[in-house]
Amino acid sequence: MTDLAVETRGLTKRFGHQLAVDSLDLAAPRGSVFALLGPNGSGKTTTIRMLLGLAAATGGTARVLDHEVPGGLGAALPQVGALIEGPAFYPFLTGADNLARLDAADPRGRARTRSHRVAEALERVGLTKAAGKKVRAYSLGMKQRLGLANALLLPRELLVLDEPTNGLDPQGTREVRSLIRSLADGGTTVLVSSHLLAEVEQVSTHAAVMHQGRLKAQGTLAELRAAGTAQVLLRTPDPEAAAAELVRFGLVVTGRQQAADGSTDLTATLPEDAPAPEYLVAELVAAGVGVRGFEVRRPSMEELFVALTGEGFDVAR
Ligand SMILES: Nc1ncnc2c1ncn2[C@@H]1O[C@H](COP(=O)(O)OP(=O)(O)O)[C@@H](O)[C@H]1O
Ligand SMILES: [Mg+2]
């Protein structure tokens, strides 16, 4: 057994001449909440469909729970719960009856305990009150919750959730987040896709950033955050002397702008091996540079993702 729940090498999917997924190398550790993050159309759903054997790869390899995809999926899938785009339910059956049907299709689910499992799954996603309603009358958010409940019927080693908060209101989104957390606390690996950075930041331990089918970055959230270059913002009435000092310590001055108080705002990138900020400030002052403001800032995850994907993330919705 490896320590990876999902691993892909060069995974590729081509639709006609379009590369929906382009040589993807994913490594999702067991026990992680691993986010597949990218704007719409970046290849998240296609990747997930390949992992679950719902679409054939054009190239590359994938392993799920140490089983080769697609050959070994028969052995892996009983341990995988999945929610993928637009879960299909019978509109004329109630939510509970739909789940009972799906549960019956899984040989691991014993008939005697079925109604208990269904009730418990509905409870976890907050659908107990709507259990007896026909799915036809469900909102998009309720259908999404029912899809989640389906993935939760049996205990799984791996949960794969494709945009699980689609169609949910902020309250529903919070509930899904805390559900993911509690599943992860119970030892389940969760692979979750999202186009919403804010959502990912709050719940995942790892992330892979995709753009146009390509992997742009991958790692723990801390690693991804640290990947951005730190910047120094210095407000000074002595810009020439200040810039000379910064350069002396290996910083690269990238911008200067007149400040409201008549002094100058200098921006400089702070290399990994630069002296500590407090030391820099002391040196500036010792060199006779007036320091009216000094700030070290790292790019936010959002700035980082914008830089990686070349487009803004929909963080509000
Ligand atoms: N069945 C398909 N036939 C043709 N193109 C597809 C198909 N499925 C997805 N695509 C294309 O592949 C790209 C990636 O889509 P998708 O995996 O759904 O992205 P995401 O889930 O990140 O929004 C998109 O450009 C999409 O139009
Ligand atoms: Mg998608």
Side-chain angles (χ1 to χ4, degrees), residues 7 30 38 47 80-81 115 136 138 179 208 212-213 225 233 245 252 255 257 261 265 267 272 294 302 307 315:
E7 184 181 23
R30 284 179 190 268
T47 300
V80 181
S115 61
R136 180 191 302 130
Y138 275 25
L179 184 61
Q212 295 182 348
R225 280 202 191 93
L233 306 179
E245 279 302 298
V252 178
Q257 212 174 11
D261 65 357
D265 283 337
T267 320
E272 277 315 312
F294 187 93
E302 193 190 357
V315 290

Side-chain angles (χ1 to χ4, degrees), residues 71-97:
L73 267 180
L77 285 183
Q79 292 303 326
V80 181
L83 166 71
I84 33 174
E85 254 173 19
F89 297 109
Y90 290 109
F92 52 85
L93 292 181
T94 66
D97 288 344

